Structures are given as structure tokens and as C-alpha cells.
Amino acid sequence: MAKSVSHERFHERRRIARELHDGAGHHLLAIVIHARRLSSQQPGAGPTAGTIENLAAEAQREIRRAIGRLPDPGSEQAAGPLEPAVEPFQGTGPLSERVAALGANLPVTDLVVHFAAIEEERKLAPGPRHQALRIIQEAVSNAVKHGEGRIDVRIRFGDPLDITVTSRSRPPTGPREDTTGLAGKPGADGGHGLVNMRLRAAELGGALDYRRLPGGVVQVTASLPAGSSTTAPPPMTVA
């Protein structure tokens, strides 16, 4: 029994860490970008300041939803089994809307989003929808931090849900990197974004691939079971 409780706590802590890194981390990156813009703008920076405030509030909400109400250390509740994790993406709108909004959250980013078979979005279950958003957020965040130029996001709705995020890395300043291999370990800076993305896909029974291609191209692809949902919001109309 003790081993079972310990196992549950391990996975719950890992879930919390992933949410903080992939969710709040993405919004905090956007806050930094807006703050830099604000410092270089003329006095009429009210809209940008308002955006910063909204993003900060959203980051706080992400943290609260991810952590929930944790028991005090040493309490009887803390010694018992943990309640099942609740994904925080419920009721936050279609995946297409959330992904399309990423460009507004990261205003200096050349982000291009493509949707295919969007009429199938209504069939996307909440769990895959949540994990897909987090994978896309993390892939885009990594492209902003480590790359340059255009970021291309492609989503094909259906079962499976197919995601492709393509960007171009900055020219290396150190030893020449392998541009054809498959990366699978955390970055040298201790980052866990790639590991988290793979875990998210695996939890659904899907797969995620990260490749460095010739010419400095970096590509993240994911294939996720879409599940089924009769309560998912209607798809967003895309021109």
C-alpha cells in the first residue's frame, strides 16, 4: 500500500512540474517579450502594458489550476492516497482558437498557423486537446528561445490528431552540431521541455518526434489519438 501511495505521489508531482514548466513557462516567456517591447516604445504604451497584465494573470491561473489544493506536509490527508489529477484545459475554448492566439501572445514572433480538416475539431476529446495545446506551446517557446525567423505550426484534425511545428535554429556559436540525429535527452541547460512533450504524447498512447534537419531546420511532430467528445465546442471558422 505504501509503495502504491508513493508511486501515485511521484506521478502527481511530475504532472505538477510539467504544468508549471510547459504552461506557466510559456506565458512567462511572453511576458518577458512584452516587457522588452514596452521599454523601447513611446509614451502611448497602454495597450502593451495591459497585455502584460493579462498574461501575468493568466500565468497565475495556470499555476493555480495545475497545483490545486495540496495537503499540508505531515497531515493525515498528505499520508493518504492522492486524488486523481484534473487537467486544467476544460472549458477554455477550441484548440484552434488557442493556437491561433499564440501569435498575439508572442508579438515579435513570425508565427504562421495552418489547420486542415478543421470540421473534425468538434470530435477532439478534452484530454488530447489539452495535451496538444501544451505540446504546441512548448515547441513554439523553444523555437522562440533557440531559433530565429518563421515558425510554422500545422494541425490536421481527425483521429489521430497530427501536429507539426517547424522552425529554424540560430547558427551554432560553439562546436558543430549534428543536424541529422534524433535528439532525446534534456538540453545541456537542464531543460525538460522535450522530455515533457514526449511524456504527454505517450500518456495518450501517441508519439512525438524531434528532429534537427539539414539547413538548421528543427521539426517537432506529434500524432495523438483524438478520442471522442460530444461536448467539445464547435470548430473555429478559418478563412
Side-chain angles (χ1 to χ4, degrees):
M1 179 65 180
K3 184 176 181 180
S4 174
V5 171
S6 176
H7 183 73
E8 290 180 8
R9 287 182 178 172
F10 169 80
H11 286 285
E12 179 68 1
R13 287 168 182 164
R14 188 175 68 175
R15 183 191 74 85
I16 291 170
R18 287 207 311 269
E19 292 302 329
L20 289 174
H21 180 279
D22 299 346
H26 173 85
H27 292 297
L28 290 173
L29 172 66
I31 289 173
V32 170
I33 292 175
H34 278 289
R36 290 174 181 171
R37 290 188 72 204
L38 182 62
S39 65
S40 63
Q41 286 178 341
Q42 297 300 318
T48 301
T51 300
I52 292 175
E53 180 179 356
N54 291 338
L55 285 169
E58 178 63 18
Q60 291 175 328
R61 287 191 289 270
E62 294 274 6
I63 292 171
R64 284 196 295 267
R65 286 195 294 259
I67 295 178
R69 294 186 299 174
L70 295 179
D72 295 329
S75 67
E76 292 183 4
Q77 184 182 2
L82 296 174
E83 295 182 0
V86 177
E87 296 290 8
F89 190 53
Q90 306 288 339
T92 56
L95 176 64
S96 54
E97 280 187 359
R98 298 297 301 272
V99 173
L102 294 180
N105 290 346
L106 301 169
V108 299
T109 301
D110 183 8
L111 182 68
V112 180
V113 180
H114 309 267
F115 300 118
I118 195 169
E119 66 277 3
E120 297 293 314
E121 183 174 13
R122 67 176 66 249
K123 301 177 183 178
L124 186 60
R129 182 177 56 176
H130 169 76
Q131 302 290 36
L133 175 67
R134 291 294 188 236
I135 287 171
I136 294 167
Q137 281 181 326
E138 180 60 19
V140 170
S141 293
N142 285 339
V144 171
K145 288 186 286 187
H146 306 299
E148 60 184 9
R150 171 170 155 168
I151 303 171
D152 188 270
V153 178
R154 295 180 180 271
I155 302 173
R156 175 174 290 279
F157 291 97
D159 196 1
L161 173 71
D162 292 323
I163 299 166
T164 304
V165 180
T166 306
S167 60
R168 187 176 300 276
S169 61
R170 296 190 187 95
T173 56
R176 185 176 180 84
E177 298 181 63
D178 175 15
T179 59
T180 60
L182 177 63
K185 298 179 181 179
D189 60 353
H192 295 280
L194 178 56
V195 173
N196 287 346
M197 287 191 289
R198 282 193 168 133
L199 284 171
R200 289 182 182 280
E203 286 177 358
L204 295 173
L208 183 136
D209 189 39
Y210 170 90
R211 288 189 178 273
R212 293 177 179 270
L213 303 174
V217 174
V218 176
Q219 190 170 76
V220 175
T221 58
S223 182
L224 310 176
S228 61
S229 174
T230 58
T231 60
M236 185 180 98
T237 301
V238 178

